[in-house]
Amino acid sequence: MLKPFNLARLLQITHGCIPFIGDAGQVFITLPEPKGRILPIRSPEFRNWFYYRAIAHQETIPSPYAFRAVLNCLEARASEHTEGTGLPVFDRVGGFTEHCILRRIILNLANSHAEYVEITSTGWKTIATVLDRFQTSPTTCSLPHPDPPRFPVPAPEPVDPNAPKPWTPDPAPDPLAPEPQSLPPLEVLRSILNLPSRPAFLRVLAWLLAALRPYGPFPFLILQGPPSSGKTFAARILHALLDSNTVPLAPTPATVRDLYHIARHNWIVALDHVSKLSPPVADALCRLSSGLGAAVHETARPTANPLLLYYKRPVILTVTEDWTCPPALAERAFTVALPPIEPHRRRTETALIRAFHQAWPGILGALCTAVSRALASGIALAQPAQTPLPSTKFADAAAWAIAASPALDCTEEEMRQALNPPPPPHPMVEAVRTLMHQCHQFKGTATELRDLFQPFISCHTPEGVAKQLRSCSLTLADHGIELKFRRLHGGARVVEINDDPGDSSSSENPPHLSPDFDAPPQPTETEEVKS
């Protein structure tokens, strides 16, 4: 049995700590040092903090029973004070609303000085206060101080051109000194990310601005492209820009519970090299963008009443060439296709990271300025839109980006056009891609293709199949699929489809050719039918 004197002695360790209950019913505690740090009371981090001080100051190791008694006392103290119940606890980005209109956004810099960036409709500034409650994970890293907007340099005073100039020695160049930035910070970001066009860059900026909205909903950002196009590096940069973390990219979660763990330790969920998602994980990702509830046990032993937590997170996906986007996820995503990097345009990763670190404060400052501009349009955003919004599922994120467009050096119409989703692919393209995933090569008649593609295509005649194939030949070539039409002796016409152009001219079938599509020996071809 624990003696009352020993319990009081252990409670002295928590002197200066303030326990409170968060808005989700979870009990937190504010630590006196470092200033402003908040931990869940039943977390390994708080247990380590308590045990270290018990050993350092009282030279004792609390028993598990004694530590549980301390936790029970702190939870009782938190529930006793009604003003400390239901307080909002944020992760990296927090916000406060008034009459359902977002008025103030707080970005946690997560540094040792407990500094934040406060963004309002009149501007932004760096503050140090403990009034706002933010929790961090063990892998959270700090963000740099944003650079304020650059003001015009005042004109120098006139001087006499005939006056002698004093001699000053030229300073020796410092090889480690930052290089002067000749481009605006956002243009530096665009050059680092290997983005193919300005609309693609505007979609990335719209996703970054949406990630700075504390309550979502959040669109996905899907980065796709061939190998060596910089998808993984771009995801690392975008994740570090707003939510620097020692583990910037996570593997594809195998279960929904794995996704819960990633969301608990990251404000931005970045999944790398995704080729396939199981249906439960795909559904959970879709809910994560607009709100995903989870029942969590705070202790190793399951309790009768688990803690119900609610996650909303911005998500980045880098996908492989085998990726087929689920329809429910595609309508929630901003998709950017990165082109292959040509050899003469390649730069070392060290040089790119150095350029990013030099421009990082300026990029943060430019984004904070754009968010301030969007906040100034908060009342307008709460009203029915005067002009049609892009046909995307996330109207809030689109309206937010359009409102901030003047601060991004683009027009509202330019942003609106960039956020319009691309037209859906032709059913014939999807049918051919599915066939190539199964057999990699096909040689046969248009009648055989019609039977294979039904009911996924609308045409019901061989002539219609051949016509649609010819119209989609360029799109299929973009996907690495070669299409040929040939006429054999006797007038028979065949279609050759190959996902590896190097095999189409070979006289031997590739080893992975499916036996279901082996054609009988054909006469020697005489001419190629031009499409």
Side-chain angles (χ1 to χ4, degrees):
M1 178 66 65
L2 183 69
K3 296 181 180 180
F5 174 79
N6 291 337
L7 177 59
R9 188 177 168 207
L10 290 175
L11 286 174
Q12 289 178 358
I13 300 174
T14 63
H15 180 71
C17 298
I18 304 175
F20 66 95
I21 300 178
D23 50 1
Q26 189 176 14
V27 181
F28 294 87
I29 190 165
T30 303
L31 304 182
E33 292 294 336
K35 182 178 66 173
R37 189 182 184 191
I38 291 175
L39 295 175
I41 202 170
R42 292 188 178 272
S43 65
E45 291 80 15
F46 177 70
R47 181 194 61 206
N48 296 339
W49 179 90
F50 185 87
Y51 270 73
Y52 172 78
R53 278 151 184 80
I55 297 172
H57 299 294
Q58 298 187 3
E59 297 182 353
T60 181
I61 300 177
S63 65
Y65 178 82
F67 182 63
R68 286 197 300 269
V70 171
L71 294 181
N72 293 335
C73 290
L74 293 175
E75 289 176 340
R77 189 193 303 175
S79 60
E80 184 66 22
H81 302 284
T82 55
E83 65 273 10
T85 303
L87 300 178
V89 178
F90 306 109
D91 290 278
R92 176 69 82 167
V93 179
F96 299 90
T97 60
E98 180 182 348
H99 303 296
C100 299
I101 298 176
L102 189 60
R103 297 293 190 183
R104 177 170 169 256
I105 292 178
I106 305 295
L107 174 64
N108 184 17
L109 297 182
N111 56 26
S112 58
H113 303 290
E115 292 178 316
Y116 311 90
V117 178
E118 181 184 45
I119 310 173
T120 62
S121 59
T122 58
W124 58 269
K125 60 183 178 180
T126 302
I127 59 175
T129 177
V130 294
L131 297 179
D132 304 305
R133 298 167 179 85
F134 285 84
Q135 63 172 330
T136 58
S137 71
T139 59
T140 299
C141 298
S142 61
L143 299 177
H145 289 87
D147 277 348
R150 298 178 181 177
F151 296 98
V153 180
E157 297 181 359
V159 296
D160 184 5
N162 299 323
K165 298 180 180 180
W167 177 84
T168 55
D170 294 332
D174 183 4
L176 299 181
E179 298 176 359
Q181 293 294 338
S182 58
L183 294 176
L186 292 181
E187 290 300 321
V188 176
L189 177 65
R190 178 181 175 182
S191 65
I192 291 174
L193 297 182
N194 183 40
L195 297 175
S197 61
R198 180 167 173 80
F201 181 52
L202 293 181
R203 286 195 291 273
V204 171
L205 291 181
W207 179 86
L208 287 171
L209 293 177
L212 285 171
R213 296 178 70 244
Y215 303 114
F218 302 104
F220 289 85
L221 179 64
I222 298 180
L223 302 177
Q224 62 184 16
S228 301
S229 59
K231 303 185 297 294
T232 299
F233 181 80
R236 285 169 50 195
I237 292 296
L238 295 175
H239 187 280
L241 181 58
L242 299 181
D243 187 28
S244 182
N245 200 291
T246 57
V247 187
L249 301 178
T252 305
T255 63
V256 177
R257 183 167 297 276
D258 293 340
L259 183 61
Y260 291 155
H261 292 314
I262 298 173
R264 291 184 70 178
H265 293 285
N266 294 270
W267 170 248
I268 295 177
V269 175
L271 306 181
D272 186 34
H273 205 72
V274 179
S275 58
K276 185 178 181 181
L277 291 173
S278 64
V281 173
D283 293 342
L285 270 175
C286 292
R287 298 199 309 272
L288 184 64
S289 62
S290 55
L292 173 64
V296 178
H297 297 280
E298 291 189 279
T299 60
R301 179 182 300 175
T303 56
N305 297 318
L307 187 67
L308 297 179
L309 298 181
Y310 191 65
Y311 299 109
K312 279 186 182 180
R313 296 289 186 266
V315 180
I316 305 176
L317 300 179
T318 68
V319 299
T320 65
E321 293 183 308
D322 296 332
W323 162 261
T324 300
C325 189
L329 197 151
E331 65 182 4
R332 292 171 166 83
F334 295 156
T335 302
V336 176
L338 302 182
I341 303 177
E342 300 175 0
H344 67 277
R345 293 180 57 245
R346 289 190 178 275
R347 290 185 288 174
T348 62
E349 187 170 310
T350 302
L352 292 173
I353 292 177
R354 186 171 183 232
F356 169 71
H357 276 272
Q358 292 177 15
W360 194 354
I363 297 171
L364 268 183
L367 292 176
C368 291
T369 302
V371 170
S372 177
R373 181 61 182 259
L375 285 175
S377 305
I379 298 179
L381 293 176
Q383 303 296 329
Q386 301 297 327
T387 57
L389 293 173
S391 54
T392 176
K393 189 177 180 66
F394 292 98
D396 295 81
W400 184 259
I402 292 172
S405 57
L408 301 174
D409 194 23
C410 73
T411 64
E412 295 184 0
E413 181 61 27
E414 191 178 6
M415 178 64 75
R416 186 179 291 106
Q417 292 296 330
L419 297 183
N420 276 321
H426 196 282
M428 179 63 73
V429 176
E430 292 301 309
V432 173
R433 292 185 64 190
T434 302
L435 177 64
M436 290 298 98
H437 281 304
Q438 296 174 355
C439 64
H440 300 282
Q441 190 182 48
F442 172 84
K443 184 175 181 180
T445 63
T447 303
E448 295 173 343
L449 280 177
R450 180 200 60 184
D451 297 336
L452 286 173
F453 291 161
Q454 294 294 342
F456 304 107
I457 57 176
S458 57
C459 51
H460 302 287
T461 62
E463 293 78 9
V465 171
K467 183 178 180 180
Q468 288 194 9
L469 280 175
R470 289 188 176 94
S471 65
C472 298
S473 58
L474 293 179
T475 305
L476 291 172
D478 292 338
H479 291 283
I481 299 176
E482 187 183 44
L483 183 67
K484 288 186 178 181
F485 296 87
R486 300 187 184 278
R487 176 174 293 174
L488 308 179
H489 280 295
R493 299 185 178 185
V494 296
V495 182
E496 290 186 7
I497 308 175
N498 198 310
D499 65 350
D500 184 1
D503 292 337
S504 60
S505 59
S506 175
S507 59
E508 297 181 359
N509 290 330
H512 51 264
L513 180 62
S514 172
D516 297 336
F517 300 97
D518 282 343
Q522 301 288 342
T524 305
E525 49 195 301
T526 58
E527 61 175 332
E528 181 175 345
V529 180
K530 299 186 181 294
S531 55

